[in-house]
Every structure is written in C-alpha cells, then in structure tokens.
Amino acid sequence: MLLAMVTMLGGCGFQPLYGTPGGGDTASGTIPDQLRQVYVASIPERYGQELRLFLQQNLAGAGQEDPTGYTLRVSSYVMNEAIDIHSDNTTGRTRASAHAHWMLYTVAPVPALLTQGDAQVIDGENETFEQYFAQNLNQATLARRVAQAVADRLTQQLAIWFRTRAAPARHAAMPQATYVDPNVMPNSSTEIPRQAVGEDGMPGMAIGRSSPDPSGTAGGVPANGTVNSQ
C-alpha cells in the first residue's frame, strides 16, 4: 500500500526534498551531499552554541560531514515575554519568540553571498517560582527546544535552496507603532517619552517583554526614547 502511494505521488511530480532529483545524481551530488559541505560559523552565547550544534547535526545527517564548500552565518536571538500576569505581578507563563537571519557564502578568498533568509519560532514554558530547580530546568529545556526548532527551519530552507536555487522569502520589517510612556517624566515641553511595541502591537513594559526590538529601536524610535512633539 505504501509503495503504491509513493508511486502515485511520483507520477504527480512529487519528489522527496532530501532525495535525488529524477532518480540520478546531480553535478554536485544529492541534497544531503551538498548540506554536508556547509560549515556553520560560530554563534555567540549559550543559545547560539546549541543552535550551532543542532545545525551541524542536521546538515551532516547520517554521513560524514565535509564542510569545505559553503559557510553558513547565522544571527539569532530569543525574545522572552511574560504572559498570564497575576495580581501579585507574577506570571504563570513565558512565551519565547526566536528570530534568525542566515546567510550562505562560498568558501573562497573573497566569499560571495549566495542566498539568505529568515526563520521564526514561537514556544513557551510554565513558570514554577515555588520550585527553583524545576524552574531552571524548564528554562534550559525551553532554550534547547527553541534552538532545535530554529535549526530545523534553517536546514529545510537550505535544502529547498539547494534543490531550487530560488531565493527564499524575506521577512519584511514593517514600521512599528509607539506609545506614550506614562511612567517617565517628559524631558521638555516638546519631547514626549515613548515606548516601542513588539510584533504583536503590545508595549513592552505592559507584558514584561525583555526587549521589543534587539536593536533597541522600533519604527526609528528608541525603545525607551523620546520624540519631538512638534
């Protein structure tokens, strides 16, 4: 039954992403062969180390890695948001939003950028403040789970590019709104302190977001900066 289904899918033009196109070898090898040629550059911090390890594991697959053809550079961060806020200002759940931008270069004296793309992952964990060690374990498990999910997304995007050589979709950065910060005194009659918002449109301090934007700005306005009212 399974063999019949595979045969029917093949007749419809379906081919496994990590298989051999047309049943024969390509000039540079199969998709797994090309993925094994990707070297993953260092990614800072503990989350970055785990992300790099998962990428290396995914790209190598079941064979021996040979990272001599391409260099993958990844810039990634995780934004934690406190949700389910209680009356005592504690929270029952933390939502983690991971964002990653990757660029694939050739290995050459003057590396050439071949393609680039973006990936996003959302996950979360329940807070257990009364159990300190369990809370630490939950946080570490969440970070590891997010890193693995991001690595899986990036690996799939790389495989698609090696198959199609088509540029992946880019995440378009849209201007983000800002809100007047009622907890900060104005610097003058013309400068009003404003607070940036995240991608969900909520002010950062209202829900305990660690940082609405990694660069510290949103829509050209500092996360806790001021704008001229005139």
Side-chain angles (χ1 to χ4, degrees), residues 96-167:
S97 303
H99 304 257
H101 178 72
W102 59 270
M103 295 177 289
L104 186 67
Y105 292 87
T106 59
V107 175
V110 181
L113 177 62
L114 297 175
T115 184
Q116 56 184 326
D118 298 277
Q120 296 182 1
V121 169
I122 296 179
D123 205 326
E125 49 108 3
N126 295 329
E127 302 291 346
T128 52
F129 294 105
E130 67 279 4
Q131 300 180 22
Y132 179 76
F133 295 105
Q135 177 64 23
N136 285 349
L137 179 61
N138 288 345
Q139 293 173 348
T141 303
L142 172 63
R144 184 177 178 85
R145 193 165 62 238
V146 168
Q148 184 173 15
V150 172
D152 292 343
R153 295 282 181 89
L154 266 59
T155 303
Q156 185 181 56
Q157 291 181 3
L158 284 169
I160 292 174
W161 183 81
F162 279 122
R163 169 61 65 89
T164 64
R165 300 288 172 166

